[in-house]
Amino acid sequence: MQEVHLAPMDPQRLEPVIGIERFESFAHELAPRMAEAFDGVAIVNVNSTPAGGGVAEMLHVLLPVTRGLGIDARWLAIEGEPVFFAVTKRLHNFIHGAAGDGGVLDEAAHEAYVAVTHSNDAELKGFVKPGDPIILHDPQTAGLAEGCRRRGHPVVWRCHIGADAANERTEAAWAFLRRYLEGNVDAYVFTRREYAPDWVPADRLFVIPPSIDPLSPKNAELSSSDACRILQKIGVLDGDPQGDVALTRPDGSPMRVRHYADVVRTGPATPPQSPLVVQVSRWDHLKDMVGVMQGFADHVFDGHGAHLALVGPVVTAVADDPEGAEVLQECWNHWRGLPHAARARIQLVCLPMGDGVENAWLVNALQRHAAVVVQKSLAEGFGLTVTEAMFKGRPVVASAVGGIVDQIVDGESGLLVRDPTDLASFGAAVRSILDDRDLGQRLGEGARVRAGELFLTDTHLAAWAEVVSSLRG
Ligand code: UDP
């Protein structure tokens, strides 16, 4: 087990983004209340990795702000053997209803899980003080609930994943976890109410959606001309960027974009003035990049000057991410089979990943430059790409699946496509925005307001305050 040390962040930095009134209530009402309630104890988060993955990213944002508010918050990451992580990955896939590695959650799986849980539990004792509330994140840490509870710690289990529909696998995963959680947890936190299994007591169930960091390179202010120049620099848009755009890293040090994107297209790059439809996603079947391409080719581009960019991370070695490489290959094959006229308007873009901050600025530039951001997922846990685009005031067309329906109010803060496989409806929604500038602006403004109200750091922490206060109640 290792502790992740993060320096406090001055919460004042949030003020220009959330406004003075909201900042006042955050810093001068919520924070002192929390600090008083948790005087003498530390709120201890436990997850399975200090870096990589959404949970780590979220803790990297929330912990510094919490600490900046004068509340002692800590973060511990468990350690385990490959056999343990094989079981927890299986749990992860099963909770999503997917088959994963084809293995089962039998007694041998429980044994592997318990062995690592025991060794981490022994170490955890040395890190925490009596009375510290413990927030356990995701299936990897569920086994620690019993020991924490026995030693008198208030225990929260925060599950970041879930599926719209139950099947045999989801049932198996929840039966596995129930053994460790039931009777040992004071509060359960899910991203959506629908993701909680039915044995979670209603009076202990809290719903907290994820949030985005408005100050991070992925979401920070970027002028449209700088966004355009960045995209010219990496080769996505046509034209000379006329020098480098001055950017900064989170620690304030200067940086510039140094890498090109890998782009597959025919003919010249997209002109900056052409409306660009963008989907940014991992290369994953559930993001349905091929469907976006076909929907655009069949129902959007003819008669419109629009172009499409399908954007994901570079898939370097096949061993790293076999599915990513496979999906990208499928996209290439599909693209090659399209009529030339459609191909000339569609590019496949792989963003460099070597420098995470650079990658974040590139995603920022793409989302800000987009005339329409699409997220035509077949399934989605929450869909942070939707939140990111909404916060930037972009009109979004997205499938009505998973957490996307909690984000977009159809017709007010974006357009929802009921059936994610219905390419004609998807195309019609995109066209309606391309055809009507006012509609795009209205949806974008609605999106900006909604994401700003519901999915930023201060709202997220306020929701957490309710959970941890319930522990003291
Ligand atoms: N993302 C990124 N670079 C890429 C592709 C995706 O940084 O090349 C980010 C994207 O901005 C978002 C996250 O990966 O923050 C994806 O989260 P989401 O909830 O949309 O989907 P998930 O990948 O978790 O299924």
Side-chain angles (χ1 to χ4, degrees):
M1 183 163 280
Q2 58 167 306
E3 175 146 20
V4 184
H5 295 279
L6 294 174
M9 183 196 106
D10 182 357
Q12 193 80 40
R13 290 187 55 207
L14 280 172
E15 198 215 281
V17 184
I18 62 176
I20 181 105
E21 215 172 291
R22 199 159 130 188
F23 177 75
E24 291 285 323
S25 100
F26 176 57
H28 304 306
E29 288 171 31
L30 177 78
R33 232 183 25 244
M34 290 272 290
E36 195 187 325
F38 295 98
D39 192 25
V41 295
I43 302 172
V44 181
N45 289 272
V46 187
N47 84 327
S48 59
T49 170
V55 181
E57 195 154 311
M58 190 197 75
L59 290 175
H60 270 286
V61 178
L62 292 184
L63 254 82
V65 185
T66 313
R67 296 173 70 95
L69 290 171
I71 298 156
D72 192 2
R74 297 173 63 194
W75 174 3
L76 304 170
I78 62 165
E79 278 160 2
E81 310 300 321
V83 53
F84 169 83
F85 287 116
V87 170
T88 59
K89 180 73 192 183
R90 204 172 296 155
L91 275 165
H92 179 98
N93 283 318
F94 276 32
I95 288 179
H96 284 295
D101 66 355
V104 290
L105 294 170
D106 54 8
E107 283 311 310
H110 277 288
E111 267 173 45
Y113 185 78
V114 166
V116 167
T117 296
H118 277 164
S119 60
N120 279 289
D121 186 57
E123 282 196 62
L124 179 63
K125 281 187 244 176
F127 277 101
V128 298
K129 290 199 304 295
D132 284 349
I134 314 268
I135 302 176
L136 302 170
H137 293 268
D138 277 344
Q140 294 91 329
T141 63
L144 296 168
E146 195 269 327
C148 293
R149 173 88 172 152
R150 198 167 9 87
R151 293 189 293 276
H153 293 283
V155 179
V156 181
W157 187 60
R158 168 60 160 125
C159 184
H160 297 266
I161 53 181
D164 283 349
N167 66 18
E168 260 174 39
R169 297 190 194 105
T170 61
E171 300 290 340
W174 288 118
F176 185 100
L177 289 167
R178 185 176 186 172
R179 194 186 285 193
Y180 303 98
L181 294 167
E182 201 170 35
N184 295 320
V185 172
D186 299 287
Y188 292 84
V189 181
F190 285 86
T191 299
R192 311 190 69 213
R193 188 166 299 275
E194 292 79 353
Y195 292 169
D198 55 12
W199 46 264
V200 168
D203 60 343
R204 291 179 184 221
L205 171 57
F206 293 81
V207 175
I208 305 185
S211 59
I212 56 167
D213 178 0
L215 304 171
S216 68
K218 185 155 310 158
N219 300 306
E221 236 356 280
L222 185 66
S223 70
S224 49
S225 72
D226 281 352
C228 177
R229 289 172 61 210
I230 289 173
L231 299 181
Q232 288 174 322
K233 165 87 185 189
I234 66 171
V236 167
L237 291 184
D238 200 19
D240 180 352
Q242 313 277 339
D244 289 323
V245 175
L247 299 169
T248 47
R249 295 187 180 278
D251 66 6
S253 57
M255 65 167 285
R256 60 196 174 89
V257 171
R258 296 171 52 234
H259 300 97
Y260 300 110
D262 292 348
V263 184
V264 172
R265 70 164 164 258
T266 182
T270 302
Q273 63 281 9
S274 298
L276 187 63
V277 178
V278 173
Q279 175 161 302
V280 179
S281 284
R282 288 180 296 109
W283 302 102
D284 181 312
H285 284 122
L286 292 177
K287 309 293 182 183
D288 199 21
M289 294 285 216
V290 165
V292 177
M293 207 185 313
Q294 196 60 50
F296 182 86
D298 288 346
H299 303 287
V300 179
F301 97 93
D302 205 10
H304 290 74
H307 289 236
L308 170 68
L310 294 171
V311 184
V314 280
V315 287
T316 35
V318 171
D320 276 345
D321 183 1
E323 193 182 325
E326 187 188 303
V327 172
L328 180 59
Q329 185 67 52
E330 279 172 24
C331 289
W332 282 340
N333 294 343
H334 198 86
W335 179 83
R336 272 190 214 105
L338 292 174
H340 176 79
R343 247 185 302 145
R345 299 276 195 84
I346 299 174
Q347 48 183 333
L348 305 180
V349 180
C350 290
L351 296 181
M353 293 297 288
D355 176 344
V357 175
E358 178 185 70
N359 179 269
W361 280 115
L362 302 185
V363 171
N364 189 338
L366 278 155
Q367 289 171 332
R368 284 188 192 276
H369 182 77
V372 185
V373 170
V374 300
Q375 193 58 57
K376 209 190 83 58
S377 303
L378 304 175
E380 196 63 74
F382 183 70
L384 278 173
T385 50
V386 171
T387 334
E388 290 157 8
M390 288 174 73
F391 175 68
K392 296 176 180 87
R394 305 321 302 144
V396 181
V397 172
S399 309
V401 294
I404 292 177
V405 300
D406 299 333
Q407 302 191 58
I408 294 179
V409 178
D410 192 24
E412 285 178 24
S413 43
L415 297 178
L416 289 174
V417 180
R418 299 271 145 229
D419 173 359
T421 62
D422 178 354
L423 299 186
S425 297
F426 165 73
V430 173
R431 264 196 338 264
S432 69
I433 295 174
L434 293 173
D435 283 342
D436 182 348
R437 240 183 123 84
D438 290 346
L439 175 67
Q441 277 194 343
R442 188 165 58 73
L443 294 174
E445 183 54 18
R448 199 183 57 74
V449 169
R450 190 166 164 83
E453 273 171 12
L454 298 180
F455 305 120
L456 299 187
T457 322
D458 63 322
T459 317
H460 196 157
L461 281 180
W464 266 112
E466 267 184 51
V467 178
V468 286
S469 301
S470 81
L471 304 175
R472 303 243 115 185

